[in-house]
Amino acid sequence: MTERKDLRAVISLCGAALVLNLFGSFVAAKFDLPLFLDTSGTIFIAALGGYLPGIAVGFFTNLIKSFVEPAQMYFCSVNVAVAIITTFLARKGLFQNFGKALAAIPMLTIVTSSCDFLIKVFLKVTDVLEPIKEFGMDFSENFAYELLDKGFAVAVAFVLIKFVAPQTKNFFRFLGRKQAHLPDEMKHISDERNYLSSSLRTKMLVILTLSSLLLSFSVALISYLLFKDFARDDRIKTVDGLVAVMVSEINPDRVDDYIYFGREDDRYQEIEEKFYALKNSNSDIKYLYVYRFSKRGCQVVFDLNTSTMEGDQAGDFVEIDESARPYLDDFIAGRPIPPIIADDNFGYLLTLYKPVYDVNGKCQCYAAIDFSMNILNEYTRTFTIKLFALFLGCFVFVFAIGLVFIENNVILPVNTMAYCAENFSYDSEESRNKNFKRLKNLRIKTGDEIENLYAALIRTTENVFRYLEHLQRAKSVVADMQVRVSAMDEIAYKDSLTGVKNKASYDREIAALNKKILSARAHFCIVMIDVNFLKRVNDTYGHERGNEYLLNACRFVCAIFGAENVYRIGGDEFVVIIEGEKVSLVKYFRSQFAFEMKRKNADETLEPWEKISAAIGVANYEPVHDKTAEEVFKRADVLMYENKLAMKANRRD
């Protein structure tokens, strides 16, 4: 409802501006003022609403005025220029306060006074401007009056703008747009012009310009050709009527007497005087004569004197004109001759020959008039200037409509959609919702393929959102499964009592070492450890203490060799696999193992299950001898048993 109310307000303001222009023009004419007073409404609407409303008001002002004074339509380009300049200055902020608005007066005056003066100069060759009283002004006088006229117009427009409601001003600014108002972050899109030369805007403007120019040129050319043909036909009809008058004065039965007696014949003199009167009646008649054509040549019957040339005497033979020579056989046969238009030594002339027949139908002579066609050039030039002045305003008006349509229905919707798509963030649900809301708030309603594209973009974005939601749920499910798999993996490959890797994990590691051996990338050693006295502790102190004894042994092995390298492969058997640079430290680890074990066993404060006794065997991988990791393990196992036997031999209990 509010939008309809604002639209009615806009239409009312445009109509009021048009009435203001017409009323000002009426007052200027009524009181014989040396001003136009027909641009206040144009400046007001252009400053308020932009190019299209201003151009429309200016164009229709002159169109309506042309019903009373047709010449006013030639000046529509002046009012259109006022709208364009005013809009440009208003967008630069010159109508924000009265001081700045005054700066627009000289700029408008220079343009309008120059255009007025040039149009009047070009149209001066016709009488079309007789109703316009200022026609006699020179440029300086015209400039002074234009300065007053535009000063008054700018002042009136500025005052009127202050009375327009802010919401109407805002609606005026976005008039014609097929989408919601842009937020502050996107307002630069509607004013940006820094696009590539191959942008859609450039292409469409080029097409619009070329099509408008082609249409205007085609109409102008057709009008010009039609006018030229009409003017030529009109001249031919005029000359044909004049020659017909000549023929009516000639008695074909007395042509021989005219040739023989000439001016000595009273009737000849009467005819000649009438021919002179006919010639003097129209300044465009350059030559008037009557010839008889025969095989002997071109014989003079009548030939009138001109201001620059004396006519030939009756009976004289003269040379036929160059332009008439192609029709010599027709002249001799007495046939009708078409009008001849030629531009030669005698000038740009239309020559019309009309045969004079006797009662028997025989051609006795030809009456002819050479008619000047120079005025046709003047008419054509004047018509072309008028046509240009008329179509210039029409072209700008049509171009402005096309430009506004392209901007509001194509360029702006496409650019805003591109901006939203380019700056769409998927980082978080909050940012996604914010960006999607910005896209939906565009509310593009062009009613064509652009709106379909916008709807498709909305649907695609919604589908992406649903996909992301499904993907998020799937990721949660996968993550949960990974946790479960990891837990299962931990259960499957970890010893339940000691917490170190179990036999299955050891087998997997051995398989990996075998692959490295095959690819010549293996560098490792295996440490075999067997815990002593586990059965004695179980039998003496119970399985609970036995488990505690085994756990203490495992902690001791992990402390020396690193828990990540330790595997429990049997009840009291542990394997340590060391790779890489730490292989060189194994001797130190072994000595540290023996030292710490001896220290614990010597500590009388410890319970039996808190002490440690274990046999150890260490074997390094030797590429020359070892084909598999199992072979290294076997050597380590053999060395471990040797160490166990040595420990039994040294035992004292």
Side-chain angles (χ1 to χ4, degrees):
M1 182 65 71
T2 303
E3 185 173 344
R4 290 184 179 179
K5 183 178 179 181
D6 289 334
L7 181 59
R8 288 197 296 269
V10 167
I11 296 174
S12 299
L13 284 174
C14 289
L18 182 60
V19 171
L20 179 61
N21 282 348
L22 297 175
F23 178 75
S25 179
F26 171 77
V27 170
K30 182 70 174 178
F31 295 97
D32 200 20
L33 299 177
L35 303 174
F36 293 100
L37 302 181
D38 62 349
T39 56
S40 298
T42 304
I43 295 174
F44 165 60
I45 290 297
L48 193 65
Y51 289 107
L52 183 57
I55 291 174
V57 170
F59 179 81
F60 284 106
T61 295
N62 284 86
L63 179 62
I64 295 173
K65 288 171 62 177
S66 67
F67 292 130
V68 179
E69 297 180 15
Q72 289 294 336
M73 196 57 200
Y74 303 129
F75 292 89
C76 68
S77 56
V78 179
N79 230 328
V80 168
V82 169
I84 294 173
I85 296 171
T86 301
T87 302
F88 175 79
L89 297 178
R91 291 187 175 181
K92 296 297 181 181
L94 264 69
F95 282 83
Q96 292 178 355
N97 57 67
F98 190 68
K100 291 183 178 180
L102 293 176
I105 297 174
M107 299 183 67
L108 290 170
T109 301
I110 292 173
V111 173
T112 56
S113 59
S114 300
C115 291
D116 276 343
F117 184 78
L118 289 175
I119 292 174
K120 289 174 182 178
V121 168
F122 286 138
L123 298 180
K124 192 175 181 179
V125 294
T126 70
D127 294 332
V128 72
L129 292 175
E130 284 184 355
I132 300 179
K133 302 175 180 61
E134 300 87 356
F135 183 73
M137 298 178 184
D138 59 19
F139 183 77
S140 60
E141 290 177 326
N142 189 46
F143 184 86
Y145 287 126
E146 279 286 349
L147 190 63
L148 292 174
D149 184 75
K150 296 305 172 288
F152 174 79
V154 169
V156 171
F158 183 81
V159 172
L160 292 175
I161 290 173
K162 294 301 180 181
F163 286 97
V164 179
Q167 63 269 22
T168 304
K169 290 181 180 179
N170 191 53
F171 185 83
F172 234 130
R173 182 183 177 189
F174 300 106
L175 184 65
R177 291 193 179 178
K178 302 298 183 180
Q179 62 186 83
H181 297 339
L182 300 181
D184 293 338
E185 60 180 309
M186 298 174 64
K187 284 184 177 178
H188 67 281
I189 295 177
S190 60
D191 298 326
E192 258 184 3
R193 292 296 182 271
N194 298 324
Y195 295 104
L196 297 174
S197 58
S198 59
S199 69
L200 182 61
R201 172 188 276 110
T202 303
K203 292 177 180 178
M204 296 190 72
L205 288 182
V206 169
I207 293 173
L208 175 62
T209 303
L210 292 179
S211 59
S212 299
L213 287 176
L214 180 60
L215 177 62
S216 300
F217 177 78
S218 300
V219 173
L221 180 61
I222 293 172
S223 301
Y224 168 77
L225 294 176
L226 291 175
F227 171 79
K228 190 173 181 179
D229 290 342
F230 172 79
R232 186 189 61 186
D233 293 342
D234 182 68
R235 304 297 279 180
I236 291 174
K237 289 180 181 178
T238 301
V239 178
D240 186 71
L242 295 173
V243 177
V245 173
M246 292 176 60
V247 172
S248 67
E249 296 294 332
I250 300 173
N251 186 348
D253 296 328
R254 295 201 60 198
V255 171
D256 290 333
D257 293 337
Y258 297 153
I259 295 174
Y260 184 78
F261 294 104
R263 290 188 177 88
E264 295 179 1
D265 188 335
D266 293 338
R267 179 55 183 162
Y268 184 94
Q269 293 181 19
E270 291 177 7
I271 295 174
E272 192 174 48
E273 288 176 1
K274 290 182 179 181
F275 284 173
Y276 272 114
L278 182 64
K279 182 178 180 300
N280 294 332
S281 67
N282 194 318
S283 60
D284 288 329
I285 298 177
K286 298 302 180 182
Y287 305 102
L288 190 152
Y289 48 91
V290 179
Y291 288 164
R292 169 181 279 180
F293 293 90
S294 63
K295 293 182 179 180
R296 292 182 57 190
C298 181
Q299 190 174 24
V300 175
V301 181
F302 291 91
D303 191 6
L304 273 58
N305 298 329
T306 65
S307 58
T308 59
M309 184 182 300
E310 185 176 348
D312 295 308
Q313 298 297 318
D316 292 346
F317 282 90
V318 297
E319 187 177 357
I320 189 172
D321 291 341
E322 187 70 27
S323 60
R325 286 183 181 176
Y327 304 100
L328 182 58
D329 292 339
D330 294 319
F331 281 122
I332 295 174
R335 290 189 287 266
I337 306 299
I340 300 173
I341 299 177
D343 191 358
D344 51 24
N345 296 333
F346 295 101
Y348 184 36
L349 301 174
L350 164 64
T351 303
L352 197 147
Y353 293 90
K354 187 176 286 291
V356 180
Y357 296 103
D358 59 18
V359 293
N360 297 320
K362 182 179 179 182
C363 179
Q364 295 296 327
C365 61
Y366 282 86
I369 289 180
D370 290 340
F371 203 78
S372 175
M373 296 289 282
N374 291 330
I375 192 65
L376 185 62
N377 289 335
E378 294 295 327
Y379 286 162
T380 303
R381 184 176 68 88
T382 304
F383 178 78
T384 303
I385 294 171
K386 292 178 182 178
L387 204 60
F388 175 79
L390 179 63
F391 274 95
L392 181 61
C394 297
F395 167 76
V396 174
F397 179 54
V398 173
F399 183 82
I401 295 175
L403 179 61
V404 170
F405 177 83
I406 290 173
E407 287 288 341
N408 292 332
N409 288 266
V410 181
I411 303 302
L412 185 61
V414 169
N415 283 343
T416 50
M417 284 190 288
Y419 177 88
C420 291
E422 184 179 356
N423 294 276
F424 206 100
S425 175
Y426 296 89
D427 296 339
S428 64
E429 184 177 357
E430 180 182 359
S431 62
R432 289 197 298 269
N433 291 333
K434 177 182 177 182
N435 290 316
F436 184 62
K437 182 179 179 181
R438 179 175 61 186
L439 180 62
K440 290 190 71 175
N441 285 341
L442 293 178
R443 298 198 299 273
I444 297 173
K445 297 179 181 179
T446 58
D448 52 22
E449 290 80 2
I450 298 296
E451 185 175 345
N452 290 340
L453 176 63
Y454 173 67
L457 181 59
I458 294 291
R459 289 194 299 271
T460 301
T461 307
E462 290 175 338
N463 292 335
V464 170
F465 276 15
R466 285 194 290 270
Y467 171 77
L468 289 175
E469 291 175 0
H470 295 158
L471 183 63
Q472 189 66 34
R473 287 197 292 268
K475 287 176 65 177
S476 299
V477 172
V478 170
D480 183 61
M481 293 178 62
Q482 287 178 337
V483 171
R484 294 183 181 182
V485 169
S486 178
M488 294 175 62
D489 186 73
E490 186 175 348
I491 293 172
Y493 292 100
K494 183 177 288 188
D495 182 59
S496 59
L497 176 63
T498 62
V500 297
K501 301 173 186 178
N502 61 9
K503 180 66 167 59
S505 181
Y506 168 77
D507 292 338
R508 187 172 60 177
E509 184 63 22
I510 289 297
L513 290 174
N514 286 331
K515 290 182 179 180
K516 291 181 179 180
I517 290 173
L518 291 175
S519 61
R521 294 184 294 108
H523 181 49
F524 66 94
C525 70
I526 295 179
V527 180
M528 182 65 189
I529 299 173
D530 186 81
V531 179
N532 299 322
F533 309 128
L534 176 62
K535 186 176 183 305
R536 181 188 299 180
V537 173
N538 283 331
D539 293 342
T540 305
Y541 304 103
H543 285 282
E544 185 176 350
R545 295 301 183 187
N547 290 340
E548 189 174 347
Y549 176 68
L550 192 61
L551 283 171
N552 287 332
C554 182
R555 293 190 190 102
F556 177 71
V557 173
C558 290
I560 299 299
F561 294 100
E564 69 276 8
N565 301 318
V566 179
Y567 301 83
R568 184 187 179 197
I569 63 172
D572 55 1
E573 293 181 336
F574 294 90
V575 173
V576 178
I577 299 176
I578 298 177
E579 293 186 81
E581 297 179 353
K582 289 186 177 181
V583 172
S584 61
L585 301 176
V586 171
K587 290 182 179 180
Y588 168 76
F589 294 154
R590 181 173 182 176
S591 63
Q592 188 72 13
F593 182 86
F595 175 80
E596 291 294 332
M597 185 173 62
K598 185 177 180 181
R599 184 180 65 80
K600 280 181 174 290
N601 289 332
D603 190 348
E604 296 298 333
T605 63
L606 297 177
E607 296 291 341
W609 58 85
E610 294 177 337
K611 297 180 180 181
I612 299 298
S613 177
I616 185 171
V618 180
N620 289 340
Y621 166 68
E622 297 178 0
V624 177
H625 302 97
D626 299 322
K627 303 301 181 183
T628 64
E630 286 83 356
E631 294 180 10
V632 181
F633 170 78
K634 289 178 181 179
R635 287 206 318 273
D637 189 56
V638 171
L639 292 173
M640 182 273 295
Y641 273 106
E642 291 177 357
N643 181 244
K644 182 180 284 288
L645 292 174
M647 292 178 71
K648 286 183 178 180
N650 293 329
R651 193 187 318 174
R652 296 287 185 266
D653 53 354

